[in-house]
Amino acid sequence: MAGTQDPVALNDWYAVATVTDLDRAEDTRLLGHPITVGPGHKVVHDGRDLPVREKFGVLWTTLGTPNKEIFEIAESQEKGRRFVPCGWVKMRASGLRVVENFLDMAHFPFVHADILGTEPHTEVLSYKSEIRHDVDEVWATNCKFFQPQMTTTRPDGEFAQLTYRVPSPFVVMLYRVVPDSGGVEDAIALFIHPIDEDEVRAIPVMYLTDQEASHTQLLRFEQVIFLQDRIIVENQRPLLLPLEARAEIPTRADSSSVAYRRWLKQKGLTFGTTTPEAA
């Protein structure tokens, strides 16, 4: 598959490896272009070193010239936070579909039954979605959904208070209010390495207040969630994300998806979408 020439896709930062995987060289692709990651903090494409950044426990690079630096996660700077890297999961899917699935609360009771959702609690309550043009991000706020297992150490079901953030087309975040914390939020980020239009590596990391659960418990919890999601995302059709109006009919629960697609269209992104690249 030929590498994309989409300037919007090329001029962005991408997480291509966890810092623990930089001890050896790995040949892979980014946006369809061949790259070699490692050893050390190095990424090579066509014989030239690409710009690199180490942030949030992963190595970032770009094939183009981004007009801004990598976004910030405030929780990553807070003392007392527990940083939990979760490895990565490979998916045969569009990275944009993976982001959209992450934003979708409606699938919780069916795909993540008795973990993130449960029947008969299937209604997605009204929430607010917006494109924040001042920071060029998509946000969904005032989200509430009944979850039967709030954390590994809190098994009783209750309504979770959630906020979603999309700081770049291939990154999505979830903030969840920690019960009985006075509003303190855990932060979960999903960095997507788009290998090709139809293949990605999803790299989740978490910044938590939970000091009780073991690393193994937390890792197993997240891996179960992402492996369940992989089955659904890999079977979505069309494989790429449609941005054309009415290509897929949204419901009220899809407010964040509608804002996300509108934002991508405003940017002019074609990679990973059903919109053909300009000749």
Side-chain angles (χ1 to χ4, degrees):
M1 183 178 294
T4 186
Q5 298 304 313
D6 175 6
V8 179
L10 292 172
N11 294 328
D12 206 347
W13 293 99
Y14 297 94
V16 294
T18 60
V19 293
T20 55
D21 294 331
L22 298 177
D23 58 339
R24 56 183 174 80
E26 178 191 14
D27 292 328
T28 183
R29 294 183 304 283
L30 174 60
L31 303 171
H33 295 271
I35 62 171
T36 300
V37 180
H41 292 64
K42 189 173 184 179
V43 182
V44 177
H45 168 62
D46 286 348
R48 69 182 178 96
D49 290 351
L50 297 179
V52 293
R53 303 283 190 275
E54 181 184 330
K55 203 166 188 177
F56 315 130
V58 301
L59 190 70
W60 299 76
T61 193
T62 179
L63 288 162
T65 308
N67 60 13
K68 61 181 179 180
E69 277 294 331
I70 301 166
F71 58 93
E72 298 293 337
I73 299 176
E75 290 76 12
S76 69
Q77 303 297 322
E78 292 180 1
K79 292 183 178 179
R81 285 276 174 178
R82 185 175 179 183
F83 173 58
V84 184
C86 301
W88 52 265
V89 176
K90 183 173 282 189
M91 300 185 187
R92 284 298 239 170
S94 162
L96 306 178
R97 286 287 198 189
V98 176
V99 170
E100 197 169 69
N101 178 78
F102 193 99
L103 294 170
D104 176 37
M105 292 179 283
H107 78 286
F108 287 175
F110 310 105
V111 179
H112 309 299
D114 301 323
I115 303 176
L116 298 185
T118 187
E119 296 187 74
H121 302 280
T122 60
E123 181 183 6
V124 177
L125 302 175
S126 179
Y127 62 96
K128 180 182 179 181
S129 297
E130 60 182 327
I131 300 172
R132 296 185 178 179
H133 294 286
D134 58 330
V135 290
D136 192 24
E137 298 183 354
V138 176
W139 284 73
T141 56
N142 195 34
C143 305
K144 296 179 181 179
F145 202 87
F146 184 86
Q147 296 189 336
Q149 185 179 341
M150 286 291 286
T151 68
T152 56
T153 56
R154 191 182 178 98
D156 295 333
E158 55 195 286
F159 277 89
Q161 300 179 52
L162 312 172
T163 297
Y164 290 89
R165 173 193 180 196
V166 185
S168 73
F170 290 89
V171 174
V172 60
M173 292 193 61
L174 167 65
Y175 300 91
R176 184 171 66 171
V177 173
V178 179
D180 305 325
S181 70
V184 175
E185 296 174 314
D186 281 334
I188 302 171
L190 184 63
F191 310 135
I192 296 170
H193 167 193
I195 298 170
D196 286 308
E197 285 196 299
D198 59 357
E199 184 178 9
V200 303
R201 286 197 298 189
I203 306 172
V205 303
M206 303 187 290
Y207 293 95
L208 307 179
T209 59
D210 186 346
Q211 302 295 333
E212 299 179 20
S214 69
H215 182 80
T216 299
Q217 284 179 305
L218 295 171
L219 190 60
R220 184 177 296 129
F221 183 85
E222 284 304 308
Q223 287 183 338
V224 166
I225 297 301
F226 282 104
L227 290 174
Q228 290 173 336
D229 279 328
R230 184 169 68 179
I231 297 171
I232 300 303
V233 174
E234 290 187 337
N235 285 282
Q236 288 183 308
R237 295 296 181 272
L239 187 65
L240 306 184
L241 188 70
L243 299 185
E244 302 83 3
R246 302 186 183 279
E248 294 178 343
I249 307 301
T251 68
R252 185 186 68 175
D254 298 320
S255 171
S256 58
S257 171
V258 171
Y260 177 57
R261 293 190 186 197
R262 185 184 305 123
W263 182 62
L264 296 176
K265 191 169 184 178
Q266 290 175 359
K267 286 179 171 293
L269 182 75
T270 60
F271 179 87
T273 80
T274 57
T275 305
E277 287 192 17

